[in-house]
Amino acid sequence: MDSEPIVGIDLGTTNSEVAILSGGKPEVVREDGDAMVPSCVGLDEAGHIIVGRRARNQAAVAPERTVVSIKRLMGSGERVPMGAETYSPQEISAFILKELKERAARALGRDVRKAVITVPAYFTDAQRQATREAGGIAGLEVVRIINEPTAAALSYEGQGSGGNRRILVYDLGGGTFDVSVVAIEEGVVEVLASTGDNRLGGDDFDALVAKRLTAQVETGLGIEGAAADRLLQARLRRAAEQAKMDLSTQPFVRVEEDHVGSVGGEAKHLSCELNRGDFEQDIDEMLARTMRSVTTALNDADVRPSQLDRILLVGGSTRIPRITQLLAERLGQEPHGEVDPDLCVALGAAVQAGIEMGHDMHSVLVDITPYTFGTSAVGELYGMPYEYQFIPIIRRNTKLPATRTEAFATVTEFQEEVEIKVYQGEDPDALKNVEIGSFRFTGLNQQREAYEQGLLFSYHLDLDGLLKVHAVERATGRELRGVVENAMERASEEALAASRERIETLWGEEDAIPAGSTGEELEEAAGDPGMSDEFQDTLRRARAALDSAPAEDREEMIELIRDLRYALREECAEAAAAVKQQLDEILFYLE
Ligand code: AMP
């Protein structure tokens, strides 16, 4: 079948991946052996857009022109600075999507214009809408948004596991946490329940470790103001993340950071040991929160732990051994490792893309809404009269798409318009839930009969989890004109077109550094005149160590060599010193 390709995209907080169908099977696109594109966007020193590893590499040396973890701000309406300008989260995400789109196009040998994109199950309406808009800005039609745990289950099903199963998907990434209970019966993947926290993830763990390191710098080394030093904080965050990851396989790690400040003109270096026990204690309360969500999801799905056939782990943070331990204690079985926690979401998105393209993927997806949608009305709260009682309309764990209709009476006879506020959440106090928009309907019929019969409101939640509200006058059957007053961040078509153009222009600018780098080029760099001996020495040693370096270091070293060469050419001493230090650290282990 030569239908237009649709790709599957996992747009993650920390890393993103794109998967395509190859011979009817989902496959993550790799370049130079690497499937993961760090979800980082930056401007290089010449003001050109860089995405992925290069942007991540410069995050520590140039935080003011690098954006990380943008997913956390999706749907917030906040803008982020990058260089001299500010960008919406949709625009920053669009750069990442554009990079993935081009990767997929290179792999397929043809243009890619359509995608299935995953979002955390717990993403709100505004966050889903923002994700859709980011796709549009990147020149991608988002044919479907699916929930990450659902995608994980689809990738599992795609492996041809067969049979009827109950699966618990525990998904802890860089910025969000979800847990879902999924039933697979005769190829139908049905999410029974889903819950979580869209502000909890590995970034929070990094922040706790960075806090320990900052305390060491301030009290241990006597350097004041370390907590407010942005550049130092960016370095400590990176060191903290590395230490956290190492603690997943080692009981303790040593953190070494040179030149973290000076006292009385003397340069100070950080060198301290962190152990797994302390780290586990730091994150204990957060992990306990995730375990409470596991219980909630099982209760909502009406599934007992003993009825679970599998526990699937998704997201990089699930490599923390304490998580496996807690799940095994709570559920009486060990999670399974056969599905790659980093890649299964993108693979599942590609399975869904295959279904959208009309391929027989041996599975059908039935998704649910992980939260309740409703409105507010004058009523009562905890037995007291209250103006904003939450009235649930579409309850959480309802299958998608879902439509519910409710009768509504206007307050007065000659009322000309009515306003409906829509919230999502579970609190009986509407004001404690997330307001996703307010819909105003005008032109109400002024006849007594119309007043007496009232209005019917239909709430329609589509397959992507996005909500639409319609109102019909019962007496006349007439549909009222509805305006979305403040649906968060629903950008206008013009605003989206302007963003598209802006991103296109920045993207189109010629890259200051050639994308591919050869050995000769690097050799040549090492011989650049005008470089101080120290830098030349590092470059020469890096070149010599390249061939025997493990693949994962090699990639990074090539980037660093390029960055160092560039920093020297631009005479940016601070950046050059920081990049040199990173290279020296790698060489320390290799030589
Ligand atoms: P994701 O959003 O699924 O890409 O997950 C990214 C998060 O996983 C980041 O916070 C990483 O620091 C974290 N992570 C990746 N590998 C490990 C590891 N080995 N141990 C602990 N956390 C990890």
Side-chain angles (χ1 to χ4, degrees):
M1 190 185 301
D2 191 28
S3 52
E4 175 159 13
I6 305 177
V7 299
I9 291 179
D10 171 6
L11 186 58
T13 309
T14 321
N15 293 298
S16 298
E17 298 85 27
V18 58
I20 56 173
L21 283 186
S22 169
K25 285 208 168 305
E27 194 179 286
V28 178
V29 176
R30 291 174 191 271
E31 280 191 0
D32 302 326
D34 214 346
M36 305 213 280
V37 176
S39 304
C40 300
V41 177
L43 292 170
D44 66 12
E45 299 213 357
H48 297 136
I49 285 291
I50 48 176
V51 177
R53 198 166 289 275
R54 275 188 61 205
R56 198 194 61 182
N57 283 347
Q58 77 162 28
V61 278
E64 71 290 349
R65 37 186 174 85
T66 316
V67 183
V68 300
S69 297
I70 192 64
K71 187 168 171 179
R72 283 190 169 219
L73 293 182
M74 287 295 264
S76 69
E78 266 176 63
R79 294 180 72 82
V80 289
M82 183 170 71
E85 294 186 36
T86 67
Y87 296 80
S88 68
Q90 289 92 318
E91 289 173 333
I92 296 292
S93 299
F95 285 121
I96 302 168
L97 289 172
K98 234 171 156 26
E99 174 72 26
L100 297 169
K101 173 179 177 325
E102 294 198 352
R103 270 187 167 218
R106 284 193 287 273
L108 287 165
R110 60 188 290 190
D111 196 19
V112 169
R113 292 181 306 187
K114 293 183 176 179
V116 170
I117 301 185
T118 60
V119 296
Y122 224 64
F123 248 25
T124 63
D125 188 81
Q127 290 167 312
R128 284 164 199 265
Q129 186 61 32
T131 305
R132 183 171 273 286
E133 286 167 6
I137 295 170
L140 280 172
E141 181 195 334
V142 182
V143 295
R144 179 98 188 252
I145 288 178
I146 59 171
N147 294 328
E148 286 162 12
T150 316
L154 268 179
S155 81
Y156 177 71
E157 176 59 9
Q159 294 190 335
S161 317
N164 297 343
R165 286 155 195 278
R166 297 265 180 282
I167 300 175
L168 183 122
V169 185
Y170 179 102
D171 179 354
L172 187 60
T176 55
F177 167 69
D178 284 309
V179 55
S180 304
V181 180
V182 181
I184 302 180
E185 277 171 25
E186 311 298 343
V188 176
V189 178
E190 179 171 356
V191 183
L192 301 177
S194 192
T195 186
D197 186 335
N198 60 7
R199 295 222 159 227
L200 173 65
D203 291 354
D204 300 299
F205 307 160
D206 300 345
L208 291 173
V209 178
K211 214 166 135 194
R212 274 187 185 270
L213 298 179
T214 304
Q216 271 293 326
V217 172
E218 287 191 337
T219 49
L221 300 176
I223 297 167
E224 282 171 24
D229 180 341
R230 247 184 107 194
L231 208 61
L232 177 62
Q233 281 302 314
R235 276 177 67 198
L236 293 183
R237 273 299 268 264
R238 193 167 165 159
E241 183 182 13
Q242 189 56 52
K244 171 194 76 174
M245 295 196 291
D246 292 344
L247 284 175
S248 290
T249 50
Q250 294 157 213
F252 30 81
V253 292
R254 179 149 285 281
V255 178
E256 311 263 9
E257 283 290 312
D258 286 344
H259 294 104
V260 288
S262 54
V263 177
E266 187 195 337
K268 292 282 178 188
H269 314 293
L270 173 70
S271 173
C272 67
E273 191 175 275
L274 297 174
N275 72 62
R276 191 188 285 167
D278 289 344
F279 172 63
E280 288 179 350
Q281 222 166 35
D282 283 350
I283 63 171
D284 186 58
E285 171 42 33
M286 290 184 192
L287 294 189
R289 255 161 66 194
T290 69
M291 290 301 145
R292 287 197 285 277
S293 296
V294 167
T295 305
T296 307
L298 285 170
N299 288 343
D300 285 353
D302 203 13
V303 169
R304 286 191 304 280
S306 60
Q307 291 173 306
L308 287 172
D309 296 288
R310 280 279 188 280
I311 302 164
L312 286 190
L313 296 180
V314 182
S317 298
T318 58
R319 293 208 171 83
I320 295 172
R322 180 78 186 132
I323 292 175
T324 299
Q325 219 177 350
L326 286 171
L327 284 168
E329 280 167 20
R330 170 74 185 84
L331 303 172
Q333 61 176 295
E334 294 266 337
H336 267 252
E338 67 262 50
V339 178
D340 187 324
D342 289 321
L343 307 183
C344 61
V345 172
L347 288 170
V351 171
Q352 186 61 32
I355 296 170
E356 303 287 339
M357 282 190 279
H359 293 281
D360 180 10
M361 304 300 289
H362 308 291
S363 51
V364 179
L365 174 63
V366 182
D367 218 341
I368 55 153
T369 167
Y371 30 66
T372 302
F373 284 86
T375 183
S376 69
V378 178
E380 56 177 47
L381 186 69
Y382 310 124
M384 303 287 284
Y386 186 63
E387 218 177 314
Y388 298 99
Q389 185 189 348
F390 182 53
I391 311 290
I393 292 173
I394 299 179
R395 294 201 178 260
R396 82 183 147 127
N397 297 331
T398 303
K399 280 183 203 166
L400 299 181
T403 303
R404 295 284 182 279
T405 304
E406 291 282 314
F408 183 91
T410 50
V411 181
T412 64
E413 192 166 341
F414 299 111
Q415 202 167 320
E416 285 184 354
E417 58 177 56
V418 8
E419 193 188 24
I420 292 280
K421 279 198 179 353
V422 181
Y423 302 85
Q424 68 181 51
E426 314 304 323
D427 202 287
D429 178 355
L431 299 184
K432 292 205 177 132
N433 292 323
V434 178
E435 183 184 330
I436 66 160
S438 114
F439 298 79
R440 195 156 51 89
F441 295 95
T442 53
L444 268 63
N445 192 309
Q446 299 295 297
Q447 308 289 322
R448 169 163 288 269
E449 195 195 5
Y451 164 64
E452 281 169 357
Q453 293 197 23
L455 307 169
L456 286 176
F457 280 104
S458 292
Y459 295 76
H460 179 74
L461 202 52
D462 70 13
L463 285 167
D464 296 334
L466 293 166
L467 187 77
K468 291 194 185 69
V469 181
H470 293 280
V472 172
E473 219 161 40
R474 279 182 79 190
T476 58
R478 194 167 59 96
E479 187 164 321
L480 297 181
R481 213 161 50 84
V483 198
V484 180
E485 287 275 286
N486 66 334
M488 307 288 192
E489 273 309 279
R490 210 154 284 201
S492 68
E493 263 314 307
E494 299 88 78
L496 285 181
S499 288
R500 208 172 298 136
E501 205 166 301
R502 182 181 191 201
I503 266 59
E504 203 55 53
T505 312
L506 283 164
W507 192 262
E509 283 182 7
E510 201 197 325
D511 206 347
I513 300 169
S517 187
T518 61
E520 293 83 77
E521 201 186 333
L522 298 173
E523 206 89 78
E524 194 187 294
D528 269 359
M531 267 189 212
S532 80
D533 287 350
E534 265 182 283
F535 290 108
Q536 280 206 36
D537 180 54
T538 298
L539 279 171
R540 214 175 284 117
R541 281 163 48 224
R543 176 72 194 103
L546 256 188
D547 288 341
S548 54
E552 66 272 18
D553 289 333
R554 191 169 196 275
E555 246 291 282
E556 185 160 5
M557 284 169 73
I558 291 178
E559 298 279 0
L560 288 171
I561 292 172
R562 237 188 255 155
D563 289 350
L564 178 53
R565 201 183 143 204
Y566 188 68
L568 291 167
R569 201 172 64 208
E570 295 295 312
E571 294 182 72
C572 178
E574 198 182 356
V579 178
K580 176 180 179 301
Q581 188 190 332
Q582 290 182 52
L583 260 180
D584 285 338
E585 276 167 21
I586 298 178
L587 289 170
F588 177 80
Y589 288 105
L590 292 182
E591 289 176 342

